[in-house]
Amino acid sequence: MSPRPKTIAEIDTPAVLIDLDRAERNIARAQAAADAAGVKLRPHIKTHKLPYFAKKQVEAGAAGITCQKIGEAEVMADAGLTDIFLPYNIIGKAKLERLLALHRRVTLSVTADSATTVAGLAEMFTDASRPLKVLIECDTGAARCGVQTAEQALTLAKQIASAPGLTFGGLMTYPAAGAPEAAETWLADARDLLAKEGFACETVTSGGTPDMWRRQDAAIVTEYRPGTYIYMDRYQVEKGAASADDCALTVLATVVSAPTPTRAILDSGSKALSSDLLGLPDHGELVGIPGARVTALSEEHGKVELSGGARLAVGDRVRVLPDHACVVTNLFDEVYLISGDRVVDILPVAARGKLS
Amino acid sequence: MSPRPKTIAEIDTPAVLIDLDRAERNIARAQAAADAAGVKLRPHIKTHKLPYFAKKQVEAGAAGITCQKIGEAEVMADAGLTDIFLPYNIIGKAKLERLLALHRRVTLSVTADSATTVAGLAEMFTDASRPLKVLIECDTGAARCGVQTAEQALTLAKQIASAPGLTFGGLMTYPAAGAPEAAETWLADARDLLAKEGFACETVTSGGTPDMWRRQDAAIVTEYRPGTYIYMDRYQVEKGAASADDCALTVLATVVSAPTPTRAILDSGSKALSSDLLGLPDHGELVGIPGARVTALSEEHGKVELSGGARLAVGDRVRVLPDHACVVTNLFDEVYLISGDRVVDILPVAARGKLS
């Protein structure tokens, strides 16, 4: 075993570096914006997958955390997080049993968008003294999960209310990127229809970092679930949600080949950066090296094309700003917390690879 | 903990299923084709990342195995594999020390494409009684790593030969997809130039499953490093290297939402299937359900569009044939070996996530 690195220069590559100062600034800034807008913040842990940052987010004022899979929620509950929202249709006996066990030890809420999901929850959760809070997922334009109409939401709310072990918690959406107004209109209509029938929406929750700075969300949204804001990435910079200086996650890589003056190959391919483009034209840029772009990935090689006089030599160490931070953390067993050039800590990515 | 599943019906989703009968048939078929062509087979373990299958490949007649990163080779050496080729430029003291330790316990060979890489190897490997075999990586058209000309290969061969702890082993390429003739011409020219200068190429090695059935490769190539052939995938079917019935890897998934008659959402997104498209128009197809295509992925959701009367309901369990098998196995901590509907074994993906 190599000795524990004290500085970035001692870290073997590829490695994920998290700039702690930037991450903490991003946490504080988002919490302040949510507080100013009168919206609860419930960060999605998918971006970092670390109890360390989940606790920081709650300490900063978050109402709780959001996880996408039960396995992630189990890791966070084990680490002491106490209020977890799982915006996912939980299907099947094996998962419902795990969900029930989780419900017994933390404040838990989930979503449903079908009678089948609600029926499964109602069968497993029967304790009227400790009902499970169920929100209705609404398809407000993203064309993923969710009921299609306010009337369908009403039907599900009635089904939830009729189950002794469940309680209706409100509405949840993941809005289409760049179209928050449509989501707000949709949710307001559904909330009003439900109110007329006697169903108050305690929570109306939306997500997505790109649109998180919109204050007018507060008119309908009571809670917001951003994930990427803690690390930010190239996609968020492209969408105007962050500046390059806000980006806390980079991948430390080594140039292993420089076959031509305008081509360098990194030891970081799709196994390190993922293939997610999120609509961007290439896979990443090299911090501090204008004219260097990661233009192609195979599993273990990242191809950098150099222009404008940029040069790289075999053995050079570089930092890649990836398109999508969340999927990168899922590919590494550990991340390095850094401050300047100093390694502050090395953390196992405790909720990595939790697929069920 | 749930009891260990005995049949596919008892497996929680998402999960990777490996059809053992198909995988073994694929191993045997490729070995027979290599034997018939007089070419050594040295399978790339990146596809399965399992000592179990690496051993099966060697038992079937493979000359050894190929790994891409030292961490993979360490896992395979620990499991008893004894002949490992690492076609990668190993750079930096930390990795070179691990490489030396590995060289002391298995038959090892590596590649280099620059004077810097060779110099690093020459400095770490100094034992003339047990020299490290170094092949020269050649860019025969894929525009990734590799020397650009036969003359550059000759220069590197001289540098390798002048280092007491290294020995020149031949030429290596990863050819451009669909252009094996260009690679063959390139390699033949380099081999001839090297021969004239007194450097015999003991090994000329190429890779890539799509072109592995070309017998004429044998004219120049002495060893072949296919990876995907053991599992096959949609990309290989598209390239004509396999039929759908050869595909051994599928992802077992559950329909968690069916918001419209033509849309279903799986519990398997890019964290299960990866975002690799390999040029295909969508992310996967559902086995046995014509007209069902995985058309979009977010991290935990796979969007299926249904046409031609195909229908899916919440709770349905399906098997996704992914575009790219290798990247899927890197996302799961374990895989299920199946025979028909029966679970034969559950194996940890021992070389998963080995990035350095």
Side-chain angles (χ1 to χ4, degrees):
Chain A
M1 290 293 295
S2 303
R4 187 183 174 89
K6 292 189 184 65
T7 65
I8 293 174
E10 296 168 14
I11 299 174
D12 196 18
T13 65
V16 170
L17 310 184
I18 307 297
D19 186 307
L20 193 50
D21 309 304
R22 290 184 180 189
E24 290 186 345
R25 193 175 67 203
N26 291 340
I27 291 172
R29 187 185 293 162
Q31 188 64 52
D35 290 348
V39 173
K40 288 182 188 170
L41 202 67
R42 185 180 284 276
H44 203 307
I45 62 85
K46 76 191 181 91
T47 306
H48 53 73
K49 302 176 177 69
L50 300 171
Y52 174 84
F53 277 129
K55 289 177 187 173
K56 292 256 185 199
Q57 289 168 320
V58 171
E59 285 162 15
I65 59 168
T66 304
C67 299
Q68 201 76 342
K69 292 290 178 92
I70 299 173
E72 296 174 335
E74 288 167 341
V75 166
M76 293 296 156
D78 289 347
L81 279 299
T82 58
D83 190 326
I84 302 176
F85 179 40
L86 258 178
Y88 212 81
N89 287 284
I90 305 298
I91 305 286
K93 185 160 174 283
K95 289 193 181 70
L96 287 165
E97 283 173 351
R98 289 166 65 198
L99 192 71
L100 181 58
L102 199 58
H103 177 60
R104 288 183 171 139
R105 58 186 181 130
V106 299
T107 300
L108 190 68
S109 49
V110 300
T111 58
D113 75 356
S114 72
T116 306
T117 299
V118 175
L121 293 168
E123 193 180 340
M124 184 63 65
F125 290 77
T126 55
D127 181 357
S129 74
R130 186 171 166 74
L132 176 69
K133 192 176 288 183
V134 183
L135 284 74
I136 296 170
E137 179 161 2
C138 304
D139 179 359
T140 58
R144 203 168 67 178
C145 298
V147 295
Q148 300 294 298
T149 64
E151 291 70 26
Q152 289 176 355
L154 176 60
T155 302
L156 280 193
K158 289 176 180 172
Q159 187 187 0
I160 293 164
S162 72
L166 306 180
T167 181
F168 172 67
L171 303 175
M172 169 264 172
T173 196
Y174 187 83
E181 300 85 354
E184 287 154 28
T185 304
W186 202 112
L187 292 168
D189 289 349
R191 179 194 57 184
D192 294 347
L193 176 65
L194 286 160
K196 260 194 278 186
E197 300 280 337
F199 295 99
C201 289
E202 178 192 336
T203 300
V204 177
T205 169
S206 187
T209 294
D211 294 316
M212 72 178 290
W213 309 115
R214 285 171 49 88
R215 295 225 170 192
Q216 53 270 50
D217 277 0
I220 172 72
V221 171
T222 68
E223 193 167 279
Y224 209 78
R225 315 180 312 277
T228 317
Y229 81 97
I230 184 171
Y231 290 165
M232 295 299 186
D233 54 27
R234 259 184 115 204
Y235 174 76
Q236 301 297 340
V237 174
E238 170 78 16
K239 291 288 166 189
S243 74
D245 288 341
D246 296 324
C247 293
L249 181 149
T250 51
V251 174
L252 185 69
T254 298
V255 175
V256 293
S257 178
T260 78
T262 59
R263 188 202 315 162
I265 307 294
L266 306 180
D267 62 356
S268 301
S270 67
K271 262 177 67 180
L273 297 167
S274 100
S275 303
D276 261 22
L277 282 165
L278 296 181
L280 298 180
D282 47 45
H283 291 279
E285 60 191 65
L286 271 53
V287 177
I289 309 179
R293 289 284 180 278
V294 182
T295 57
L297 299 174
S298 47
E299 282 152 77
E300 301 289 10
H301 298 86
K303 178 176 172 178
V304 177
E305 290 188 49
L306 300 160
S307 61
R311 287 286 176 271
L312 287 172
V314 174
D316 284 353
R317 290 157 61 92
V318 298
R319 288 170 69 175
V320 182
L321 177 63
D323 293 349
H324 191 185
C326 315
V327 291
V328 170
T329 62
N330 192 54
L331 294 168
F332 285 80
D333 291 337
E334 58 188 19
V335 296
Y336 292 79
L337 302 189
I338 58 163
S339 179
D341 278 338
R342 191 168 54 86
V343 175
V344 176
D345 208 348
I346 307 172
L347 299 180
V349 186
R352 184 206 60 74
K354 301 299 178 191
L355 281 154
S356 66
Chain B
M1 289 293 294
S2 303
R4 187 182 173 91
K6 292 189 182 66
T7 65
I8 293 174
E10 296 169 13
I11 300 173
D12 196 18
T13 65
V16 170
L17 310 184
I18 306 297
D19 186 308
L20 193 50
D21 309 304
R22 291 183 180 190
E24 290 185 346
R25 194 175 69 204
N26 291 341
I27 291 172
R29 186 186 295 163
Q31 188 63 53
D35 291 347
V39 173
K40 289 182 187 170
L41 202 68
R42 187 180 282 276
H44 204 308
I45 61 85
K46 76 191 182 91
T47 306
H48 53 72
K49 301 177 178 67
L50 300 172
Y52 175 84
F53 277 129
K55 289 179 188 173
K56 292 258 183 198
Q57 288 168 319
V58 171
E59 285 163 15
I65 59 168
T66 304
C67 299
Q68 202 76 342
K69 292 291 177 92
I70 299 173
E72 296 174 335
E74 288 167 341
V75 167
M76 294 295 156
D78 288 348
L81 280 298
T82 58
D83 191 327
I84 301 176
F85 180 41
L86 257 177
Y88 211 81
N89 288 284
I90 306 298
I91 307 284
K93 184 162 176 280
K95 291 194 179 70
L96 287 165
E97 283 174 350
R98 289 166 65 197
L99 192 70
L100 181 59
L102 199 57
H103 177 60
R104 289 184 170 138
R105 58 184 181 131
V106 299
T107 300
L108 190 68
S109 49
V110 301
T111 58
D113 74 356
S114 72
T116 306
T117 299
V118 175
L121 293 168
E123 192 180 339
M124 183 63 66
F125 289 78
T126 54
D127 181 356
S129 72
R130 186 170 167 72
L132 176 70
K133 192 176 288 182
V134 182
L135 285 75
I136 296 169
E137 180 161 2
C138 304
D139 179 358
T140 58
R144 203 168 66 176
C145 297
V147 296
Q148 300 295 298
T149 65
E151 290 71 25
Q152 289 177 355
L154 176 61
T155 303
L156 280 193
K158 289 176 180 171
Q159 187 186 2
I160 293 165
S162 73
L166 306 180
T167 182
F168 172 66
L171 303 175
M172 169 264 171
T173 196
Y174 187 84
E181 300 84 356
E184 288 154 28
T185 304
W186 202 112
L187 293 168
D189 290 348
R191 179 194 57 184
D192 294 347
L193 176 66
L194 286 160
K196 258 193 279 185
E197 300 280 336
F199 295 99
C201 288
E202 177 193 337
T203 299
V204 178
T205 169
S206 187
T209 293
D211 294 316
M212 71 178 292
W213 310 115
R214 285 171 49 88
R215 294 224 170 191
Q216 54 270 50
D217 276 0
I220 172 71
V221 171
T222 68
E223 193 166 279
Y224 209 78
R225 314 180 313 276
T228 317
Y229 81 98
I230 184 170
Y231 290 166
M232 295 298 186
D233 53 26
R234 261 183 113 204
Y235 174 76
Q236 301 297 340
V237 173
E238 170 78 15
K239 291 289 166 190
S243 73
D245 289 342
D246 296 325
C247 294
L249 181 149
T250 50
V251 174
L252 185 69
T254 298
V255 176
V256 292
S257 178
T260 77
T262 59
R263 188 203 315 162
I265 307 294
L266 306 180
D267 61 357
S268 301
S270 67
K271 262 177 68 181
L273 297 168
S274 98
S275 304
D276 261 21
L277 282 166
L278 296 180
L280 299 181
D282 47 47
H283 291 279
E285 59 191 65
L286 272 52
V287 177
I289 309 180
R293 290 282 179 279
V294 182
T295 57
L297 299 174
S298 47
E299 282 153 76
E300 302 288 9
H301 298 86
K303 178 177 171 177
V304 177
E305 290 189 49
L306 300 161
S307 61
R311 288 285 177 272
L312 287 172
V314 174
D316 284 354
R317 288 157 63 91
V318 298
R319 287 170 69 176
V320 181
L321 178 62
D323 293 349
H324 192 186
C326 316
V327 291
V328 170
T329 62
N330 192 53
L331 295 169
F332 284 80
D333 290 336
E334 58 188 19
V335 296
Y336 291 81
L337 301 188
I338 59 164
S339 179
D341 278 338
R342 193 167 52 86
V343 175
V344 176
D345 208 348
I346 308 172
L347 299 180
V349 186
R352 184 205 60 74
K354 300 299 178 193
L355 280 154
S356 67

mmCIF file of all heavy atoms in Angstrom, chain A residues 136-152:
data_model
loop_
_atom_site.group_PDB
_atom_site.id
_atom_site.type_symbol
_atom_site.label_atom_id
_atom_site.label_comp_id
_atom_site.label_asym_id
_atom_site.label_seq_id
_atom_site.Cartn_x
_atom_site.Cartn_y
_atom_site.Cartn_z
ATOM 1 N N ILE A 136 -47.977 12.103 -4.644
ATOM 2 C CA ILE A 136 -48.317 11.648 -5.992
ATOM 3 C C ILE A 136 -47.355 12.275 -6.989
ATOM 4 O O ILE A 136 -47.187 13.497 -7.033
ATOM 5 C CB ILE A 136 -49.772 12.012 -6.332
ATOM 6 C CG1 ILE A 136 -50.707 11.247 -5.381
ATOM 7 C CG2 ILE A 136 -50.086 11.676 -7.787
ATOM 8 C CD1 ILE A 136 -52.133 11.704 -5.452
ATOM 9 N N GLU A 137 -46.708 11.402 -7.770
ATOM 10 C CA GLU A 137 -45.780 11.907 -8.784
ATOM 11 C C GLU A 137 -46.568 12.369 -10.003
ATOM 12 O O GLU A 137 -47.457 11.664 -10.501
ATOM 13 C CB GLU A 137 -44.766 10.827 -9.187
ATOM 14 C CG GLU A 137 -43.807 11.331 -10.258
ATOM 15 C CD GLU A 137 -42.524 10.530 -10.388
ATOM 16 O OE1 GLU A 137 -42.365 9.525 -9.670
ATOM 17 O OE2 GLU A 137 -41.684 10.923 -11.224
ATOM 18 N N CYS A 138 -46.230 13.555 -10.492
ATOM 19 C CA CYS A 138 -46.966 14.183 -11.594
ATOM 20 C C CYS A 138 -46.035 14.398 -12.788
ATOM 21 O O CYS A 138 -44.935 14.938 -12.631
ATOM 22 C CB CYS A 138 -47.509 15.537 -11.143
ATOM 23 S SG CYS A 138 -48.536 15.445 -9.658
ATOM 24 N N ASP A 139 -46.479 14.002 -13.943
ATOM 25 C CA ASP A 139 -45.724 14.245 -15.181
ATOM 26 C C ASP A 139 -46.098 15.626 -15.696
ATOM 27 O O ASP A 139 -47.112 15.823 -16.352
ATOM 28 C CB ASP A 139 -46.068 13.165 -16.210
ATOM 29 C CG ASP A 139 -45.326 13.366 -17.529
ATOM 30 O OD1 ASP A 139 -44.564 14.351 -17.658
ATOM 31 O OD2 ASP A 139 -45.516 12.529 -18.436
ATOM 32 N N THR A 140 -45.274 16.605 -15.352
ATOM 33 C CA THR A 140 -45.577 17.995 -15.713
ATOM 34 C C THR A 140 -44.889 18.417 -17.007
ATOM 35 O O THR A 140 -44.762 19.605 -17.294
ATOM 36 C CB THR A 140 -45.159 18.942 -14.571
ATOM 37 O OG1 THR A 140 -43.752 18.753 -14.326
ATOM 38 C CG2 THR A 140 -45.944 18.650 -13.313
ATOM 39 N N GLY A 141 -44.416 17.415 -17.770
ATOM 40 C CA GLY A 141 -43.805 17.747 -19.051
ATOM 41 C C GLY A 141 -42.516 17.003 -19.355
ATOM 42 O O GLY A 141 -42.056 16.995 -20.490
ATOM 43 N N ALA A 142 -41.944 16.347 -18.362
ATOM 44 C CA ALA A 142 -40.675 15.651 -18.581
ATOM 45 C C ALA A 142 -40.866 14.304 -19.271
ATOM 46 O O ALA A 142 -39.900 13.691 -19.710
ATOM 47 C CB ALA A 142 -39.934 15.455 -17.264
ATOM 48 N N ALA A 143 -42.111 13.826 -19.335
ATOM 49 C CA ALA A 143 -42.413 12.570 -20.028
ATOM 50 C C ALA A 143 -41.630 11.388 -19.466
ATOM 51 O O ALA A 143 -41.096 10.566 -20.194
ATOM 52 C CB ALA A 143 -42.179 12.704 -21.538
ATOM 53 N N ARG A 144 -41.547 11.349 -18.129
ATOM 54 C CA ARG A 144 -40.932 10.202 -17.475
ATOM 55 C C ARG A 144 -42.061 9.543 -16.674
ATOM 56 O O ARG A 144 -43.047 9.138 -17.275
ATOM 57 C CB ARG A 144 -39.755 10.676 -16.599
ATOM 58 C CG ARG A 144 -38.747 9.599 -16.337
ATOM 59 C CD ARG A 144 -37.465 10.163 -15.724
ATOM 60 N NE ARG A 144 -37.655 10.691 -14.381
ATOM 61 C CZ ARG A 144 -36.664 11.203 -13.617
ATOM 62 N NH1 ARG A 144 -35.433 11.244 -14.088
ATOM 63 N NH2 ARG A 144 -36.894 11.660 -12.410
ATOM 64 N N CYS A 145 -41.914 9.406 -15.363
ATOM 65 C CA CYS A 145 -43.009 8.868 -14.564
ATOM 66 C C CYS A 145 -44.061 9.958 -14.326
ATOM 67 O O CYS A 145 -43.850 11.127 -14.621
ATOM 68 C CB CYS A 145 -42.497 8.382 -13.214
ATOM 69 S SG CYS A 145 -41.299 7.051 -13.293
ATOM 70 N N GLY A 146 -45.182 9.556 -13.700
ATOM 71 C CA GLY A 146 -46.133 10.537 -13.215
ATOM 72 C C GLY A 146 -47.518 10.425 -13.811
ATOM 73 O O GLY A 146 -47.681 10.062 -14.976
ATOM 74 N N VAL A 147 -48.507 10.772 -12.979
ATOM 75 C CA VAL A 147 -49.869 10.815 -13.499
ATOM 76 C C VAL A 147 -49.942 11.894 -14.573
ATOM 77 O O VAL A 147 -49.194 12.879 -14.544
ATOM 78 C CB VAL A 147 -50.903 11.083 -12.383
ATOM 79 C CG1 VAL A 147 -50.924 9.925 -11.390
ATOM 80 C CG2 VAL A 147 -50.623 12.398 -11.673
ATOM 81 N N GLN A 148 -50.878 11.687 -15.514
ATOM 82 C CA GLN A 148 -50.956 12.561 -16.685
ATOM 83 C C GLN A 148 -51.927 13.725 -16.497
ATOM 84 O O GLN A 148 -51.839 14.720 -17.222
ATOM 85 C CB GLN A 148 -51.359 11.742 -17.915
ATOM 86 C CG GLN A 148 -50.380 10.617 -18.260
ATOM 87 C CD GLN A 148 -49.020 11.145 -18.686
ATOM 88 O OE1 GLN A 148 -48.900 11.844 -19.677
ATOM 89 N NE2 GLN A 148 -47.989 10.836 -17.901
ATOM 90 N N THR A 149 -52.846 13.582 -15.539
ATOM 91 C CA THR A 149 -53.859 14.636 -15.352
ATOM 92 C C THR A 149 -54.121 14.871 -13.861
ATOM 93 O O THR A 149 -53.854 13.999 -13.021
ATOM 94 C CB THR A 149 -55.211 14.236 -15.991
ATOM 95 O OG1 THR A 149 -55.719 13.074 -15.298
ATOM 96 C CG2 THR A 149 -55.046 13.903 -17.468
ATOM 97 N N ALA A 150 -54.681 16.019 -13.570
ATOM 98 C CA ALA A 150 -55.065 16.335 -12.191
ATOM 99 C C ALA A 150 -56.134 15.357 -11.702
ATOM 100 O O ALA A 150 -56.165 14.983 -10.526
ATOM 101 C CB ALA A 150 -55.573 17.773 -12.109
ATOM 102 N N GLU A 151 -56.992 14.926 -12.601
ATOM 103 C CA GLU A 151 -58.043 13.975 -12.231
ATOM 104 C C GLU A 151 -57.435 12.653 -11.776
ATOM 105 O O GLU A 151 -57.918 12.018 -10.831
ATOM 106 C CB GLU A 151 -59.010 13.747 -13.399
ATOM 107 C CG GLU A 151 -59.897 14.940 -13.747
ATOM 108 C CD GLU A 151 -59.139 16.122 -14.379
ATOM 109 O OE1 GLU A 151 -58.066 15.888 -14.995
ATOM 110 O OE2 GLU A 151 -59.593 17.268 -14.223
ATOM 111 N N GLN A 152 -56.393 12.211 -12.476
ATOM 112 C CA GLN A 152 -55.719 10.976 -12.048
ATOM 113 C C GLN A 152 -55.079 11.163 -10.671
ATOM 114 O O GLN A 152 -55.067 10.239 -9.851
ATOM 115 C CB GLN A 152 -54.649 10.567 -13.071
ATOM 116 C CG GLN A 152 -55.222 10.039 -14.392
ATOM 117 C CD GLN A 152 -54.126 9.742 -15.422
ATOM 118 O OE1 GLN A 152 -52.951 10.011 -15.197
ATOM 119 N NE2 GLN A 152 -54.529 9.190 -16.561
#
